[in-house]
C-alpha cells in the first residue's frame, strides 16, 4: 500500500508528493494496458517508500513491449482492411486486369497433391507456428505460389510476414511487378488446364500466385482467390 505524504487529521484526506502521484499515474496507465497491479506493489516497501528508478525502468520496458504489440496489431489490421477494400471491385470483374504489386516477404513450405482443404489448413497452421518460433509477425495474407518452367512446376503454400528473415530457409520474397490478375472461386492452378483465359507461353518461366482474398464476411462454405501472374 502506498503511504501518503500527509493525512489531514480533520478531514481524513490523503495527500501525496509529485513523485508519488507520478508513480500512481504510471500504475493506472499500466493497468489500462493490462499489466497486473501486483507487479508494481513489489516496488513499495513496508514503510511506503518507492524504489522509483527500478519501477520506472520496469514500467517503461513493459509499456514499450505493449506498444510494439499494439503497433504490430494495427499494421496487420490495416493490411487486411486494405485487402478487403481492394478486392471489393476486383472480384466483380469478369476479365483479367493488371495491377502493380509491391515486393512481399513470405515464408513457404512445399504443397503436395493430396486433399486440398485438409493439407491447406494443416500447412497454414504450420507456417503460423514457424513464424512465431522465429519471432516473425504474419499479416495472415496467404495462398499458393507456383514456380512454372518449361520442365516442371514447383508448388508451395505461403504466408506473408512483416520482417525480412533472410537467414530462415523457408523465407523468400515475391518480387514486385505488374501482375495480370483475376478473381475466382476456389482456384487450384493446374498447368494442364486452361487458366481462366490467361494464356501462358510455354517456353517462359512464370511466378503464379493464388492469393486468398479477405472479404467483408467470413464464409466457411466458399472462398475467393485472386490469381496473380507476374508478367515476364
Amino acid at each position: 500500500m502506498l503511504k501518503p505524504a500527509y493525512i489531514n487529521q480533520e478531514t481524513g484526506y490523503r495527500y501525496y508528493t509529485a513523485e508519488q502521484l507520478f508513480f500512481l499515474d504510471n500504475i493506472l496507465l499500466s493497468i489500462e494496458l493490462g499489466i497486473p497491479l501486483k507487479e508494481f506493489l513489489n516496488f513499495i516497501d513496508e514503510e511506503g517508500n518507492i524504489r522509483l528508478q527500478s519501477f520506472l525502468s520496469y514500467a517503461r520496458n513493459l509499456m514499450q513491449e505493449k506498444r510494439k504489440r499494439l503497433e504490430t496489431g494495427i499494421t496487420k489490421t490495416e493490411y487486411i482492411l486494405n485487402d478487403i477494400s481492394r478486392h471489393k471491385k476486383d472480384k466483380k470483374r469478369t476479365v483479367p486486369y493488371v495491377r502493380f504489386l509491391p515486393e512481399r516477404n513470405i515464408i513457404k513450405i512445399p504443397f503436395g497433391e493430396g486433399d486440398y482443404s485438409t493439407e491447406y489448413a494443416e500447412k497454414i497452421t504450420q507456417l503460423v507456428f514457424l513464424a512465431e518460433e522465429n519471432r516473425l509477425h504474419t499479416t495472415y495474407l496467404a495462398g499458393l505460389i507456383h514456380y512454372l518452367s518449361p520442365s516442371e512446376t514447383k508448388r508451395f503454400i505461403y504466408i506473408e510476414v512483416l520482417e525480412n528473415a533472410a537467414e530462415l530457409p523457408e523465407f523468400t520474397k515475391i518480387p514486385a511487378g505488374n501482375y495480370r490478375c483475376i478473381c475466382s472461386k476456389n482456384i487450384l492452378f493446374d498447368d494442364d488446364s486452361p487458366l481462366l483465359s490467361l494464356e501462358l507461353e510455354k517456353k517462359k518461366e512464370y511466378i503464379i500466385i493464388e492469393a486468398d482474398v479477405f472479404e467483408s464476411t467470413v464464409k466457411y462454405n466458399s472462398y475467393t482467390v485472386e490469381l496473380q501472374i507476374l508478367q515476364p
Side-chain angles (χ1 to χ4, degrees):
M1 185 68 179
L2 182 62
K3 182 179 178 180
Y6 168 67
I7 301 176
N8 187 308
Q9 298 300 322
E10 296 181 1
T11 63
Y13 287 166
R14 296 168 178 261
Y15 297 91
Y16 300 88
T17 65
E19 288 178 324
Q20 289 177 313
L21 292 173
F22 178 70
F23 178 76
L24 288 171
D25 186 56
N26 275 268
I27 286 179
L28 292 173
L29 175 59
S30 300
I31 292 172
E32 288 179 11
L33 295 174
I35 301 170
L37 175 61
K38 63 181 181 180
E39 297 289 336
F40 301 100
L41 296 179
N42 296 329
F43 297 92
I44 305 174
D45 63 24
E46 294 179 356
E47 297 177 356
N49 299 316
I50 303 167
R51 293 185 285 116
L52 188 60
Q53 184 176 6
S54 297
F55 160 72
L56 292 178
S57 296
Y58 177 77
R60 178 190 60 194
N61 291 339
L62 288 178
M63 287 188 281
Q64 285 178 339
E65 181 181 339
K66 194 78 172 183
R67 181 179 66 182
K68 185 177 180 180
R69 291 175 60 190
L70 289 170
E71 288 174 346
T72 300
I74 290 170
T75 299
K76 290 181 179 181
T77 301
E78 287 177 345
Y79 265 89
I80 302 305
L81 285 173
N82 289 337
D83 199 63
I84 292 172
S85 177
R86 182 172 59 243
H87 288 300
K88 273 189 174 180
K89 293 181 180 179
D90 290 342
K91 68 181 182 180
K92 296 179 181 179
R93 299 184 184 186
T94 57
V95 294
Y97 50 92
V98 176
R99 67 185 180 94
F100 177 82
L101 290 169
E103 185 177 73
R104 288 167 277 179
N105 295 329
I106 65 168
I107 51 175
K108 61 180 177 60
I109 52 178
F111 187 78
E113 303 293 338
D115 181 271
Y116 175 79
S117 59
T118 300
E119 184 179 6
Y120 192 88
E122 289 177 352
K123 291 200 170 182
I124 283 291
T125 304
Q126 183 179 339
L127 284 170
V128 171
F129 287 156
L130 177 64
E132 291 176 352
E133 289 171 2
N134 290 275
R135 298 181 179 275
L136 301 176
H137 296 93
T138 62
T139 66
Y140 294 98
L141 297 176
L144 297 177
I145 181 168
H146 311 261
Y147 296 95
L148 180 64
S149 71
S151 59
E152 64 177 343
T153 298
K154 295 182 179 179
R155 178 184 294 161
F156 298 85
I157 188 168
Y158 75 89
I159 193 165
E160 290 188 33
V161 294
L162 296 178
E163 297 84 1
N164 185 328
E167 71 285 352
L168 191 66
E170 293 85 357
F171 176 83
T172 190
K173 290 178 178 287
I174 299 177
N178 289 317
Y179 285 76
R180 201 174 184 197
C181 306
I182 194 166
C183 284
S184 185
K185 295 288 185 183
N186 310 336
I187 300 173
L188 181 58
F189 171 71
D190 185 335
D191 51 321
D192 293 328
S193 63
L195 191 57
L196 299 175
S197 76
L198 301 178
E199 296 181 359
L200 304 180
E201 297 180 34
K202 293 185 178 180
K203 293 183 179 181
K204 293 186 177 181
E205 295 183 352
Y206 290 87
I207 295 177
I208 300 173
I209 299 165
E210 297 178 48
D212 292 349
V213 173
F214 277 84
E215 301 190 67
S216 55
T217 302
V218 177
K219 300 177 182 178
Y220 294 98
N221 56 350
S222 67
Y223 58 91
T224 301
V225 171
E226 183 181 57
L227 198 64
Q228 306 165 351
I229 299 179
L230 179 60
Q231 298 185 332

